[in-house]
Amino acid sequence: MGLDEGKLKIIDSRTGQEYTLPIRDSSVRAIDLRQIREDPGEFGMLSYDPGYTNTASCKSRIAFIDGEKGILRYRGYPIERLAEQSSYTEVAYLLLHGDLPTQHELETWDQEVLENSSVHENVKKFMDGFLYDAHPMGVLVSTIAALSTFYPDAKQIDSRSNRYRQQVRLFSKIPTIAAYVYRKSQGLSFPDPDWDLNYSENLIHILWSGTRRQPGRKESKVLAKALDTLLVLHAEHEQNCSTSTLRQVASSNADPYVSVASAISALSGPLHGGANEAVLTMLDEIASSRRIPDFMRRVKAGEQRLMGFGHRVYKNYDPRARIVREIASNVFEVTGRNSKIDLAMELERIALDDDYFVKRRLYPNVDFYSGIIYEAMGFPPEMFTVLFAIGRSAGWLAHWEEFMRDPEKRIARPRQLYLGPDETELVPLDERLGRARGEFA
Ligand code: ACO
């Protein structure tokens, strides 16, 4: 890794000049393109990559994805094995520490997380200031960013021990804050975590304690296990929109609270974490399998998208989608069957058999079924992305830490291809007649 693997020869047809670029890790350095110039005074060649479809912005050892084959591994461990055999806190330990914990390490870690799970009373007051109908993602973003003001020492990002302290704090408090976000929307009080419960049991406890939804002990265990597996599945996914946003913000040496808040903001959009909410809206609109053909016609005409389908990286079945589908049946045993699952499975069956989707290699992604499970558990759709954010917090923090240690870390500063006007004379305000320029006309 990192050694010269060969050379890439480029001939510039404008000048006839030949350039030799070293290939390392199956890639060329974008900066090596800069030497390619038509005239010596020119800035040099840039690579143009809207949406970063073919640009590696960092080196990472956290997650591996092979989208063609439908493979996802965290630190080398296949997602299927982790979902089957590991708890979410165990997976978070793996992501943050680099390998799975021993029994003793896990017990110590779980205890550390529990002990940090309560929030300052002022955080509760801060959260109480939001309107009852504030979107939960807006409340989550703001509260996580506000933690930066509660822990000003977080700015000391050069200290390894300090970074670790902040990561544990943030990781431990996110589920508590997320549950408070839900309780705020329901006009409920903010109970403290229960130290006799594990991470996911606590999440369920804080969410529904003292409400008519509070599950019994047995139901609570089943729901906590399902939630825990969903958190494992959402824990990490390399350079997606939110993680690369986090790295971008962290590149200015921003503390982990504001960096994670920026990642949560990126996650809130319907093309990213908001997709499962959009899936339910879509299923509500379709309502009956009789209306699937008409819906599919509109999708294929480009009038709308089949939400929960397609992925920038996976051009095969998202391995997480398969596991989510399996979790659904366990949850329905406790909550009763959500009839939307039948509609979703019918949509999947039709889409996987349809040329439009086959040709474009569009398969269900992790969010196609997760919203149906969350709805069955009693979460309003606005909370789905909040649950995603809890899970992804482990991955975000692992990336934040990896980036802080990266010897090649530099402030992110992409280039642009400027297509605007050349130098233009500024006409004084009182002499300007209403003339609109091209794109604004
Ligand atoms: N439904 C219908 N057609 C689709 C869909 C879809 N869900 N997704 C992609 N396509 C089509 C596009 O229209 C395009 O067709 P064309 O070649 O005829 O123009 C082709 O497939 C390629 O699509 P792109 O938009 O270029 O794919 P991209 O990689 O940029 O987008 C994305 C990926 C954003 C996830 C897209 O598939 C999508 O919008 N899916 C629905 C939203 C969704 O489920 N998002 C969750 C992603 S997973 C996550 O964030 C956890």
Side-chain angles (χ1 to χ4, degrees):
M1 295 276 275
L3 296 174
D4 258 359
E5 289 165 0
K7 309 272 182 231
L8 179 73
K9 284 197 189 303
I10 297 177
I11 297 171
D12 185 345
S13 68
R14 301 170 303 176
T15 58
Q17 176 85 34
E18 184 177 299
Y19 301 88
T20 305
L21 275 47
I23 301 174
R24 292 194 189 105
D25 300 322
S26 308
S27 62
V28 291
R29 295 221 146 213
I31 196 72
D32 287 346
L33 296 173
R34 189 77 72 73
Q35 60 187 300
I36 304 175
R37 296 184 170 96
E38 199 172 5
D39 295 312
E42 252 181 22
F43 184 76
M45 182 78 73
L46 295 172
S47 62
Y48 177 57
D49 190 7
Y52 310 122
T53 50
N54 199 42
T55 294
S57 62
C58 64
K59 293 174 183 165
S60 181
R61 292 179 165 77
I62 303 173
F64 170 78
I65 302 176
D66 184 332
E68 296 293 319
K69 297 189 184 135
I71 293 173
L72 169 62
R73 296 182 201 132
Y74 298 165
R75 303 246 185 224
Y77 296 98
I79 188 66
E80 294 84 352
R81 298 289 79 73
L82 292 169
E84 218 171 68
Q85 294 171 27
S86 302
S87 68
Y88 175 62
T89 51
E90 196 180 337
V91 166
Y93 184 101
L94 165 71
L95 293 170
L96 291 165
H97 292 80
D99 207 346
L100 286 168
T102 60
Q103 183 67 38
H104 175 68
E105 284 166 340
L106 181 59
E107 282 165 15
T108 311
W109 168 241
D110 278 346
Q111 191 57 30
E112 204 176 356
V113 170
L114 256 185
E115 285 169 8
N116 279 281
S117 57
S118 303
V119 299
H120 194 292
E121 284 301 309
N122 281 358
V123 171
K124 296 181 183 175
K125 286 187 195 145
F126 175 83
M127 293 184 76
D128 206 32
F130 288 99
L131 294 179
Y132 72 95
D133 59 352
H135 194 287
M137 282 301 272
V139 180
L140 185 67
V141 168
S142 316
T143 311
I144 298 299
L147 288 184
S148 165
T149 67
F150 286 81
Y151 305 109
D153 53 334
K155 306 252 171 291
Q156 294 157 23
I157 54 135
D158 290 332
S159 153
R160 167 73 191 109
S161 58
N162 183 54
R163 288 202 306 269
Y164 182 72
R165 189 161 54 245
Q166 310 306 331
Q167 287 160 24
V168 175
R169 273 183 183 149
L170 180 41
F171 176 73
S172 313
K173 292 181 200 315
I174 275 201
T176 309
I177 291 172
Y180 288 172
V181 168
Y182 168 75
R183 292 186 71 98
K184 169 70 191 169
S185 72
Q186 306 295 308
L188 298 164
S189 61
F190 298 145
D192 287 325
D194 179 341
W195 286 22
D196 289 329
L197 301 175
N198 71 27
Y199 184 96
S200 292
E201 287 167 359
N202 234 322
L203 179 56
I204 289 194
H205 157 72
I206 304 175
L207 279 163
W208 291 305
S209 120
T211 75
R212 67 184 167 78
R213 286 200 184 281
Q214 184 167 11
R217 254 182 88 78
K218 215 172 117 207
E219 288 82 11
S220 187
K221 290 253 177 240
V222 176
L223 297 183
K225 175 74 192 112
L227 256 185
D228 205 76
T229 310
L230 284 164
L231 296 177
V232 168
L233 297 180
H234 285 89
E236 162 57 7
H237 216 233
E238 52 122 303
Q239 304 309 315
N240 51 77
C241 178
S242 53
T243 303
S244 49
T245 300
L246 169 125
R247 279 185 177 256
Q248 186 107 353
V249 172
S251 78
S252 69
N253 286 352
D255 74 47
Y257 302 104
V258 291
S259 300
V260 168
S262 72
I264 301 173
S265 307
L267 187 71
S268 69
L271 295 186
H272 191 6
N276 50 11
E277 187 177 340
V279 170
L280 281 207
T281 311
M282 175 188 78
L283 293 174
D284 277 335
E285 274 165 23
I286 302 174
S288 144
S289 55
R290 277 185 295 114
R291 294 171 62 181
I292 292 180
D294 182 52
F295 173 78
M296 285 301 202
R297 186 191 53 70
R298 280 184 283 131
V299 169
K300 291 195 275 183
E303 289 167 24
Q304 60 189 97
R305 290 204 159 184
L306 174 54
M307 298 311 287
F309 255 70
H311 198 277
R312 170 59 60 79
V313 178
Y314 292 117
K315 301 302 169 196
N316 202 322
Y317 212 102
D318 181 337
R320 301 166 301 171
R322 225 185 285 280
I323 304 168
V324 175
R325 227 172 73 161
E326 285 160 19
I327 296 171
S329 50
N330 300 341
V331 170
F332 294 163
E333 272 177 33
V334 170
T335 62
R337 192 174 172 80
N338 183 343
S339 61
K340 283 185 188 138
I341 190 94
D342 301 316
L343 198 54
M345 284 166 81
E346 181 64 358
L347 269 172
E348 178 188 334
R349 191 189 61 74
I350 293 173
L352 295 186
D353 208 29
D354 188 306
D355 237 24
Y356 175 94
F357 296 92
V358 174
K359 261 207 227 132
R360 289 170 178 76
R361 307 177 70 194
L362 300 170
Y363 294 87
N365 59 49
V366 67
D367 281 330
F368 191 59
Y369 289 105
S370 61
I372 297 172
I373 298 178
Y374 293 144
E375 188 179 70
M377 285 180 169
F379 289 107
E382 312 83 70
M383 274 299 291
F384 298 173
T385 324
V386 172
L387 296 166
F388 189 155
I390 301 175
R392 188 54 57 84
S393 62
W396 287 329
L397 289 168
H399 279 276
W400 188 83
E401 177 59 25
E402 184 179 66
F403 190 48
M404 289 299 151
R405 294 176 185 214
D406 188 342
E408 289 188 286
K409 170 176 169 291
R410 297 187 73 186
I411 187 162
R413 186 23 176 120
R415 297 278 174 180
Q416 62 167 10
L417 303 182
Y418 177 69
L419 303 180
D422 281 340
E423 185 175 342
T424 307
E425 191 195 333
L426 198 152
V427 179
L429 185 59
D430 57 358
E431 290 172 30
R432 271 174 244 162
L433 295 172
R435 82 194 147 103
R437 267 185 175 156
E439 63 191 296
F440 302 113

